Amino acid sequence: MNLHELLRNPGSRLPFRCELSTDRLDFPAVLSYTAAPVGEGYIVNSAGALTLRGTLSAAMRCVCDRCAAEFDREVSCPLDIPLASELQDEENPDYFLLEGDELDLEDLLETVFILNMDTRFLCRADCKGLCSRCGKNLNEGPCDCRAESDPRLAVLEQLLDDKP
């Protein structure tokens, strides 16, 4: 994306819309994308400082990390990214660097998408997962497995089991 005209005109805006290829957006818990990630918004020049503003959204078919159930998830993250032609403060890497007057919009949006992706995918916040013994999905109800006892009390349990 060429930003030459935007850089020369403070106060101006340049709208953008970019659909990302999902080839490099491979996450183990994402089975497929039902709607490809799309970034929309504008780049604004405020007194010579460029800022990319908008939203990045996608719809995915995922598998839960706890119970292995498939579920649909929509993600959306706001974009408010300062752009710079050179890094002026080594300790503040919050700027996305331009290559001359050019911005690799797809690279920027891919980076933001990857950094904002959850590390764990859960079908719901209170997912109970699977029983470690029988594998039953505990979200569907309790399993018939007996509660595991403390091994230090095994001798006492044997005494209780031996009684008629």
Side-chain angles (χ1 to χ4, degrees):
M1 183 174 215
N2 191 320
L3 303 177
H4 181 72
E5 285 298 316
L6 184 68
L7 287 165
R8 290 178 26 166
N9 298 310
S12 60
R13 290 180 167 206
L14 181 63
F16 71 88
R17 183 179 194 291
C18 180
E19 184 172 311
L20 299 178
S21 167
T22 58
D23 295 340
R24 296 189 328 180
L25 302 176
D26 188 24
F27 300 94
V30 176
L31 301 174
S32 64
Y33 288 87
T34 54
V38 174
E40 294 182 275
Y42 58 90
I43 301 171
V44 64
N45 181 344
S46 300
L50 297 183
T51 306
L52 182 138
R53 293 191 175 114
T55 58
L56 179 58
S57 57
M60 306 169 288
R61 184 79 180 153
C62 304
V63 62
C64 181
D65 285 331
R66 283 191 190 151
C67 70
E70 290 186 15
F71 66 99
D72 292 320
R73 168 174 282 168
E74 291 186 19
V75 293
S76 181
C77 64
L79 301 172
D80 191 13
I81 303 166
L83 307 173
S85 54
E86 61 186 50
L87 196 58
Q88 297 167 357
D89 182 5
E90 294 289 330
E91 299 197 14
N92 188 2
D94 292 338
Y95 289 88
F96 194 87
L97 295 177
L98 302 174
E99 296 172 14
D101 291 347
E102 297 286 323
L103 171 64
D104 187 344
L105 186 59
E106 189 166 344
D107 185 45
L108 181 143
L109 294 175
E110 279 181 359
T111 302
V112 169
F113 188 77
I114 291 168
L115 292 175
N116 281 292
M117 188 57 68
D118 293 336
T119 55
R120 292 179 35 174
F121 289 77
L122 300 178
C123 58
R124 59 186 204 211
D126 64 342
C127 178
K128 296 175 182 167
L130 302 174
C131 173
S132 60
R133 287 186 172 170
C134 68
K136 182 179 187 322
N137 186 341
L138 299 174
N139 295 316
E140 298 168 357
C143 65
D144 296 328
C145 294
R146 189 171 160 192
E148 198 169 307
S149 61
D150 188 333
R152 296 172 291 180
L153 302 176
V155 173
L156 294 175
E157 273 188 23
Q158 287 176 355
L159 291 173
L160 291 174
D161 289 343
D162 291 340
K163 289 200 175 198

